[in-house]
Amino acid sequence: MNKTAIIYSFNSRKTGKIAEKIKEAFGDDPFVLINAEELTEEIFTSFDQIIMGVPTWFDGELPNYWDEFVPALEDLDLKGKRIALYGLGDQKGYPENFLDGLGIMAGILEERGASLIGFTSAEGYEFESSRALRGDHFAGLAIDYENQGSMNKERVANWVSQLKKEFS
Ligand SMILES: Cc1cc2nc3c(=O)[nH]c(=O)nc-3n(C[C@H](O)[C@H](O)[C@H](O)COP(=O)(O)O)c2cc1C
C-alpha cells in the first residue's frame, strides 16, 4: 500500500490538531507525519499521495514555512502526484481573505501539474472573498477553528471518506 504523507508545521497548533484528526479518521492507513519546517524536495517527491496543512496568515498570505518552500515547489514536476489540501482560516476575522493561503498553495501546485483532490462545498461558510474558491467549492477542506470549531470533527470525517475514494 502506498504511504501517504501529511505535511504541516509541527509548531502550528491548530493545523497540527487537524492533522491528528485526519490520521485518526483514516484508521489503519500507513501515514507519515512530516514537519513542513524541515521539508526538502527529496522528501516531498518521495510520496505519491500527500496531504498538506495550510493555514492563512498575515492577512491573506502563506505562513513563512510554506512561503520558504515555494521556490523549491516551483522547480518540481508534480504530474501524477495526488495532493489534498486542508486550510485553516477565520471567516469572521478575515472575511476578505478567508483561506487565501489554501488558494495560493493550490494555484502553485496546479501550475506544476499536481492533481488536486478533496475539494469541498463552500456552503455553510460566510465570507466576502477567498482565493481558495474554485467555482462554488474550496480547493480542499476548509476549517475555521475560531467560528465553527464544533464542526471540525464532522468535516474531517466527511473529507476523509471522500479522500479514501479519491486517493484509490
Ligand atoms: C495575524 C493573523 C492573521 C491572519 N490572517 C488570516 C487571513 O488573512 N485569512 C484567514 O482566513 N485567516 C487568517 N488568520 C486566522 C488563522 O488562519 C487561524 O487562526 C488558523 O487557525 C491558524 O492556525 P495555526 O495556529 O495552526 O497556524 C489570521 C490569524 C492571525 C493571528
Side-chain angles (χ1 to χ4, degrees), residues 86-157:
Y86 69 95
L88 286 86
D90 172 353
Q91 62 198 293
K92 278 203 182 129
Y94 304 88
E96 291 171 5
N97 303 97
F98 183 48
L99 295 170
D100 275 2
L102 171 66
I104 294 168
M105 183 57 85
I108 293 163
L109 298 170
E110 282 166 338
E111 217 163 84
R112 303 312 308 145
S115 302
L116 293 188
I117 61 168
F119 285 24
T120 59
S121 169
E123 222 170 275
Y125 302 82
E126 261 183 60
F127 56 94
E128 284 166 33
S129 60
S130 171
R131 291 179 68 175
L133 278 182
R134 301 288 183 272
D136 55 5
H137 279 63
F138 292 116
L141 171 65
I143 293 291
D144 183 341
Y145 244 105
E146 277 77 9
N147 308 294
Q148 297 179 329
S150 61
M151 298 171 85
N152 289 352
K153 204 172 166 198
E154 191 188 339
R155 282 177 173 165
V156 168

Side-chain angles (χ1 to χ4, degrees), residues 2-65:
N2 267 342
K3 265 195 193 159
T4 306
I6 308 187
I7 311 176
Y8 63 98
S9 162
F10 288 10
N11 292 313
S12 276
R13 203 176 55 83
K14 294 176 200 150
T15 308
K17 281 193 178 171
I18 297 297
E20 297 290 342
K21 282 194 205 303
I22 292 170
K23 186 170 178 281
E24 228 177 85
F26 260 99
D28 291 340
D29 268 72
F31 264 99
V32 186
L33 302 184
I34 290 172
N35 189 354
E37 300 190 31
E38 290 166 12
L39 190 58
T40 63
E41 284 162 73
E42 290 70 31
I43 295 173
F44 192 83
T45 51
S46 68
F47 293 94
D48 291 324
Q49 300 186 166
I50 300 172
I51 297 172
M52 293 162 71
V54 188
T56 299
W57 286 10
F58 311 124
D59 295 356
E61 304 287 341
L62 287 172
N64 306 20
Y65 53 87

